Amino acid sequence: MSDYMRRLPVYLLLDCSGSMSGEPIEAVRQGVKALLSELKGDPQALETAYLSVITFNSSARQVSPLTELMAFKEPELNAGGATALGGALNVLMDCVKNEVRQSTATQKGDWKPLVFILTDGAPTDIETFKNAISNLKNIKVANIIACAAGANADTTYLKQITESVLMMNTLSAGDMAQFFAWVSGSIKMSSKSIDAKPGEAIQLPPPPQGFVIVP
Amino acid sequence: MESKRTEKATLVDGSTIEYVVKDNPPKGGMKYTYFTPDKKYVVQFFNDPKNANDINIHKRLEAIVGKYNPTLSEEKGGSRGNTQLAADYFSSRFCWPKSLIKSPEFGIVCPAYPSNYFFSENSTDIEGYKDILKGKDKKSTYFTSPKLSKYLKSDELGDFRSMLSLSINLARSIRRMHQAGLAHSDLSCNNVLIDPQKGTCVVIDIDSLVVPGLYPPEVIGTSGYIAPEVLETMELPIDDPNRKLPSSYTDLHSMAVLIYEYLLKRHPLKGPKVYSTESAEKDDFLALGPKATFIENPVDKSNRPKDLTYTIKDLGPELEKLFIRAFVDGLHSPNERPTAMEWEKGLVKTWDMLSQCSNSKCTHKWFVLHDPQKPICPYCKTKIKAKEVVRLKLKSRVRGRNGQWIDAGEINCYDNMPIFKWHIYSNCFPDEKAERDLQASIHYYQGQWIFVNRGIAGMLSPSGNIVPIGQAVLLSDGSSFQASNDEKGYLIEASITRW
């Protein structure tokens, strides 16, 4: 049966630059743990959602390949280095190309991937970032939600990636926990796809209190 | 840190109920939930204040709690003609709203569902998953999805017989609702909790019912369970005459999907066929809406999976016919769908055709032995050990034509099989009102099959003599006798197939 079970691929792009060291990166670790536990408790998410983690500091790499939830191993997250957000977008595009099944006349494709980007700064690889953005715009591969965390996060770059940008004021454990709870809520909602309207924008739950949607 | 405090709500009758307020209470599509301190009831408020103040929702809920309530006898303000026996029966099959809250704001009180509908720490062997699963509702996807069920302990999964039992339960509950003119409107894997171990189910989220004469709720249902015509027309304005809204007809689609999933562990419409390569959304919309094709459509095989090892044919002729009517004839023609009553009858008839698999390791343990010439379990391919199949044909009198009988059902006999009133009298049906005291029993005794009278007045032997209680008739191939000389009594014909 598995050949035509449509999957919901979810990519987390996590900032692991030097500024995230200490409490913030620990909060992200706890967040991923909580996210996984929350999703494993939801039968629809268990059935359809597949998770991958891409981290970025001075360079970017996929630390967890797209895996079903029960088999997913939490990645080791360590902070240090710069903010290669552009590189992360390139890795994302490669992963989507390689891992997400496209519809063909004989094969059912996956759902459009859901991508969550969490960063506390601004890209340090500006040229790469600019190129990545133009490539990303052309292919429209995914529903991307970006979250700017803390006072130093620059939302103008994120706005170039996607319309959906959130801002949380602090990098505190509490805010981070809320963010990951919201991410799991969004994934659950998408995996239920209550409104299976063709071509409609995906519906996400309202962001947590204290988070601002950047217009 | 999580804070907890106890608050008091006032019900419409003026009495009060306490509930425990927690941060981040469990939230559904419409409402959020708190428990009473003893956890026997839940107190629910609406997410959206617009709903809490909506006069149509108030009226609908008043009707649901009162005059349409099948879990309350007529005497106690429940639905018309409802006896205490029926009310008790349905109390455990529905999580029916009990009363309405007027302050601090409009809300409802429901019984909490019984503990057997929650997973325990013993439901899985997988470390790390135990804590996650513990306390979660037993939504049917956990059991019907092969991907999920492999993480559960095998005794959680029940067997084919218990899945058939809970299918009967569901059909009965929906039949009861439809009899009253109510429609559930959102039957799905999330709104019917199942206990495959016990073979029971409970229908929850009763507050979005369609109540006769009142405004329908604005739900369209849950993906995978929405009737094709509802999905197809969901973009039209709500008052457009072509827009199809949830009704008892759409319930009949959702219910058939659930029963198919319970018995065959797959979705009836999700096959390999690609309807559109444009997008997954478009493909899904066509696959579940306007172009929906049953994976087991006997003519159009475009959506048929290659790896179907067992099919609706293995469920016996009654269920095969019902599934064809639901997913071929009635898929795009709502009036052709079998009613809940027809499902209930077909499922009950199928129950009497069950045979135990001789392979103790068989995952299904039971199967429908519909062809005595092929006594092979369709799931593990084991041939039954017994050397013969003893089958009883039940025949009822044709009214006004003396001596003429028509087929009314069949029973596959097994040792120590109980026989109830509905096996004896054509006017008895195993519903919520049926008396379940033993009428007779079938035994394999000293190399022969016997039918022992345990309480039938007027049971006759093949030669027409009264068989007193405690006495038996021998079941031999071709023999027939009247189970009761009452006008409604069945004629029973035995046949024995040996190989």
Side-chain angles (χ1 to χ4, degrees):
Chain A
M1 288 305 273
S2 54
D3 276 5
Y4 33 87
M5 281 300 274
R6 217 186 271 293
R7 307 179 301 171
L8 174 68
V10 179
Y11 289 92
L12 302 180
L13 270 60
L14 305 175
D15 187 340
C16 290
S17 61
S19 55
M20 290 290 288
S21 55
E23 198 199 335
I25 196 73
E26 182 52 32
V28 173
R29 283 187 202 116
Q30 294 307 320
V32 173
K33 214 183 264 296
L35 170 80
L36 202 58
S37 153
E38 192 61 32
L39 293 180
K40 279 186 187 170
D42 183 273
Q44 263 113 351
L46 267 179
E47 207 175 34
T48 57
Y50 283 65
L51 189 61
S52 165
V53 175
I54 294 167
T55 58
F56 53 101
N57 38 45
S58 298
S59 64
R61 70 188 183 99
Q62 187 183 33
V63 288
S64 308
L66 195 64
T67 313
E68 66 174 285
L69 298 174
M70 286 302 273
F72 187 87
K73 303 232 176 346
E74 283 163 41
E76 210 176 293
L77 301 175
N78 295 303
T83 309
L85 180 54
L89 294 177
N90 283 332
V91 172
L92 170 69
M93 283 185 280
D94 282 345
C95 293
V96 168
K97 204 173 135 198
N98 296 329
E99 293 175 328
V100 178
R101 288 198 288 248
Q102 298 299 314
S103 272
T104 68
T106 53
Q107 162 76 60
K108 284 206 185 260
D110 289 328
W111 294 106
K112 208 181 221 193
L114 262 179
V115 178
F116 295 91
I117 302 173
L118 177 69
T119 180
D120 74 334
T124 48
D125 56 347
I126 296 293
E127 279 311 307
T128 316
F129 181 80
K130 279 183 185 159
N131 286 330
I133 291 294
S134 61
N135 290 335
L136 202 61
K137 283 263 157 71
N138 287 334
I139 39 184
K140 283 211 163 180
V141 286
N143 294 305
I144 303 177
I145 297 100
C147 182
N152 297 323
D154 191 333
T155 57
T156 54
Y157 288 103
L158 296 180
K159 268 305 217 193
Q160 295 173 38
I161 304 175
T162 171
E163 285 293 300
S164 320
V165 177
L166 287 181
M167 206 164 64
M168 61 187 207
N169 292 326
T170 71
L171 284 166
S172 69
D175 271 6
M176 208 66 96
Q178 281 205 44
F179 171 71
F180 279 99
W182 178 76
V183 169
S184 69
S186 305
I187 297 170
K188 281 198 226 169
M189 206 153 160
S190 301
S191 62
K192 280 188 185 64
S193 61
I194 297 163
D195 288 306
K197 292 183 200 175
E200 195 94 331
I202 53 151
Q203 291 202 358
L204 298 177
Q209 237 180 359
F211 283 53
V212 185
I213 300 173
V214 182
Chain B
M1 275 294 100
E2 189 164 72
S3 69
K4 275 187 187 180
R5 60 179 197 281
T6 305
E7 297 261 352
K8 229 178 234 175
T10 309
L11 307 180
V12 285
D13 66 5
S15 64
T16 60
I17 189 167
E18 285 193 331
Y19 58 99
V20 181
V21 176
K22 277 171 64 178
D23 295 338
N24 299 318
K27 225 174 207 179
M30 290 278 280
K31 295 176 272 71
Y32 55 97
T33 299
Y34 298 121
F35 282 85
T36 55
D38 61 7
K39 302 220 158 144
K40 281 189 179 152
Y41 295 97
V42 297
V43 168
Q44 298 183 307
F45 297 109
F46 287 89
N47 298 335
D48 186 343
K50 246 195 353 236
N51 287 328
N53 296 321
D54 185 337
I55 187 75
N56 292 316
I57 291 182
H58 287 213
K59 278 189 177 161
R60 193 165 69 227
L61 282 165
E62 274 164 28
I64 292 170
V65 168
K67 68 176 177 178
Y68 288 107
N69 191 341
T71 66
L72 215 56
S73 67
E74 183 176 7
E75 273 175 20
K76 293 182 181 159
S79 66
R80 226 168 59 200
N82 214 35
T83 62
Q84 193 58 48
L85 184 71
D88 290 343
Y89 180 89
F90 285 116
S91 296
S92 59
R93 264 68 178 188
F94 288 116
C95 202
W96 205 276
K98 188 183 174 308
S99 34
L100 305 180
I101 298 168
K102 63 177 179 189
S103 79
E105 58 178 271
F106 184 72
I108 60 177
V109 181
C110 289
Y113 11 100
S115 60
N116 60 307
Y117 294 105
F118 296 106
F119 285 109
S120 74
E121 61 268 20
N122 294 320
S123 299
T124 176
D125 278 328
I126 298 170
E127 288 304 326
Y129 189 43
K130 281 184 184 171
D131 288 340
I132 293 172
L133 199 59
K134 188 186 162 188
K136 291 276 180 327
D137 305 349
K138 290 188 180 171
K139 295 177 177 172
S140 58
T141 312
Y142 282 110
F143 306 96
T144 60
S145 155
K147 191 174 165 189
L148 271 64
S149 64
K150 67 177 184 228
Y151 300 118
L152 297 178
K153 276 195 192 168
S154 59
D155 60 352
E156 279 286 339
L157 303 176
D159 52 35
F160 181 80
R161 186 172 69 157
S162 66
M163 293 310 265
L164 186 63
S165 160
L166 63 88
S167 303
I168 295 172
N169 252 226
L170 176 62
R172 190 171 286 153
S173 300
I174 304 309
R175 184 260 297 152
R176 179 63 185 84
M177 269 189 166
H178 288 182
Q179 252 172 1
L182 301 169
H184 185 280
S185 81
D186 188 13
L187 287 173
S188 77
C189 57
N190 298 324
N191 290 342
V192 182
L193 304 184
I194 66 173
D195 178 358
Q197 249 172 327
K198 284 208 167 102
T200 56
C201 68
V202 61
V203 180
I204 63 173
D205 272 359
I206 302 290
D207 51 300
S208 55
L209 297 191
V210 180
V211 179
L214 296 178
Y215 274 93
E218 286 184 12
V219 294
I220 75 146
T222 304
S223 177
Y225 302 89
I226 301 168
E229 68 276 13
V230 175
L231 194 61
E232 196 176 340
T233 62
M234 63 182 283
E235 303 283 71
L236 299 172
I238 196 106
D239 52 357
D240 188 303
N242 290 319
R243 169 93 188 248
K244 300 288 189 298
L245 295 168
S247 67
S248 60
Y249 290 107
T250 68
D251 277 356
L252 294 176
H253 173 80
S254 318
M255 184 181 75
V257 173
L258 285 169
I259 294 174
Y260 188 86
E261 287 186 319
Y262 297 161
L263 299 179
L264 292 146
K265 312 280 161 78
R266 59 183 179 236
H267 192 281
L269 305 176
K270 292 182 182 168
K273 183 173 182 173
V274 176
Y275 295 84
S276 165
T277 52
E278 197 184 301
S279 70
E281 287 80 6
K282 179 92 184 279
D283 182 69
D284 241 43
F285 173 73
L286 295 171
L288 299 170
K291 299 280 183 218
T293 318
F294 182 31
I295 59 170
E296 294 193 50
N297 188 310
V299 180
D300 177 355
K301 302 202 168 163
S302 59
N303 199 24
R304 194 181 177 88
K306 286 194 200 83
D307 55 352
L308 285 189
T309 51
Y310 46 84
T311 67
I312 50 170
K313 281 196 189 309
D314 296 310
L315 302 176
E318 295 291 336
L319 293 182
E320 184 187 0
K321 270 185 263 170
L322 288 167
F323 279 123
I324 293 289
R325 284 176 57 203
F327 297 136
V328 181
D329 311 336
L331 190 56
H332 299 285
S333 313
N335 334 333
E336 308 271 325
R337 292 173 191 152
T339 62
M341 165 99 71
E342 289 175 293
W343 277 108
E344 188 184 1
K345 289 197 162 155
L347 289 160
V348 165
K349 281 185 171 182
T350 304
W351 177 270
D352 284 333
M353 311 270 284
L354 284 174
S355 177
Q356 194 158 15
C357 180
S358 298
N359 171 8
S360 60
K361 299 225 162 67
C362 179
T363 50
H364 285 65
K365 293 189 180 66
W366 294 82
F367 66 98
V368 181
L369 204 178
H370 52 94
D371 181 356
Q373 303 292 339
K374 287 186 202 144
I376 297 165
C377 170
Y379 310 108
C380 70
K381 312 292 179 199
T382 305
K383 190 171 178 178
I384 60 169
K385 274 204 187 110
K387 292 279 173 279
E388 57 196 8
V389 174
V390 181
R391 175 166 292 182
L392 303 183
K393 224 172 219 171
L394 309 181
K395 300 192 161 200
S396 63
R397 237 178 260 273
V398 181
R399 220 195 297 200
R401 296 211 183 159
N402 216 1
Q404 280 198 37
W405 301 84
I406 49 162
D407 290 348
E410 287 182 306
I411 300 173
N412 283 334
C413 300
Y414 58 88
D415 191 20
N416 289 322
M417 182 175 198
I419 295 292
F420 299 102
K421 271 200 166 150
W422 53 90
H423 299 120
I424 307 292
Y425 305 101
S426 60
N427 59 338
C428 288
F429 184 69
D431 58 10
E432 66 278 9
K433 293 172 199 139
E435 290 165 28
R436 287 174 159 73
D437 36 334
L438 195 67
Q439 298 293 305
S441 57
I442 294 168
H443 303 271
Y444 187 65
Y445 179 69
Q446 295 182 345
Q448 291 183 306
W449 291 89
I450 55 171
F451 187 102
V452 184
N453 185 358
R454 301 282 180 192
I456 312 168
M459 176 176 156
L460 299 180
S461 71
S463 53
N465 299 319
I466 287 279
V467 178
I469 290 170
Q471 303 272 324
V473 299
L474 187 67
L475 299 173
S476 57
D477 190 33
S479 69
S480 68
F481 60 97
Q482 271 180 253
S484 162
N485 59 7
D486 184 281
E487 198 192 331
K488 300 288 179 195
Y490 283 129
L491 178 73
I492 295 185
E493 269 180 20
S495 65
I496 301 183
T497 309
R498 296 196 175 86
W499 50 85

